[in-house]
């Protein structure tokens, strides 16, 4: 799967989505670009992909992850698959 972060702070995804790694709310592969929805007024500055999970960082340093979590790779403290971006609650 592939994620694209635009200069305006939006994120688009396409490709395999068997584990929710596109962050579009579905476990369905997508070939056209599909926008990944975040909270309002969130500007994403960087994205990363793992095999079955994804991550994004906002301009204010917030970390969002989604996708497969069998081994805790989303950082949410659960093994629950996330189909849309979820803020990682962590302490600095």
């Amino acid at each position: 799967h592939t994620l694209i972060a635009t200069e305006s702070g939006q994120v688009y995804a396409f490709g395999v989505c068997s584990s929710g790694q596109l962050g579009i709310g579905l476990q369905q592969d997508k070939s056209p670009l599909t926008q990944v929805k975040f909270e309002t007024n969130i500007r994403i500055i960087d994205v990363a992909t793992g095999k079955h999970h994804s991550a994004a960082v906002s301009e204010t340093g917030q970390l969002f992850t989604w996708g497969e979590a069998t081994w805790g790779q989303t950082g949410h403290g659960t093994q629950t698959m996330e189909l849309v971006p979820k803020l990682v609650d962590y302490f600095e």
Side-chain angles (χ1 to χ4, degrees):
H1 69 291
T2 301
L3 296 179
I4 299 168
T6 68
E7 287 186 21
S8 63
Q10 296 176 319
V11 176
Y12 291 89
F14 62 95
V16 174
C17 191
S18 59
S19 299
Q21 61 265 52
L22 293 183
I24 58 174
L26 306 169
Q27 285 179 269
Q28 177 181 349
D29 297 353
K30 288 288 189 180
S31 57
L33 290 174
T34 303
Q35 186 173 4
V36 180
K37 302 290 184 180
F38 290 84
E39 300 171 19
T40 56
N41 300 321
I42 296 289
R43 185 173 180 272
I44 300 299
I45 59 169
D46 204 2
V47 292
T49 61
K51 185 172 183 179
H52 296 286
H53 62 288
S54 300
V57 177
S58 74
E59 68 181 343
T60 60
Q62 295 171 300
L63 174 64
F64 295 86
T65 62
W66 59 94
E68 182 62 51
T70 302
W71 300 279
Q73 61 266 52
T74 58
H76 300 292
T78 70
Q79 294 179 321
T80 304
M81 180 185 305
E82 299 294 341
L83 299 179
V84 295
K86 182 176 177 181
L87 180 63
V88 175
D89 184 24
Y90 64 96
F91 301 100
E92 293 185 31

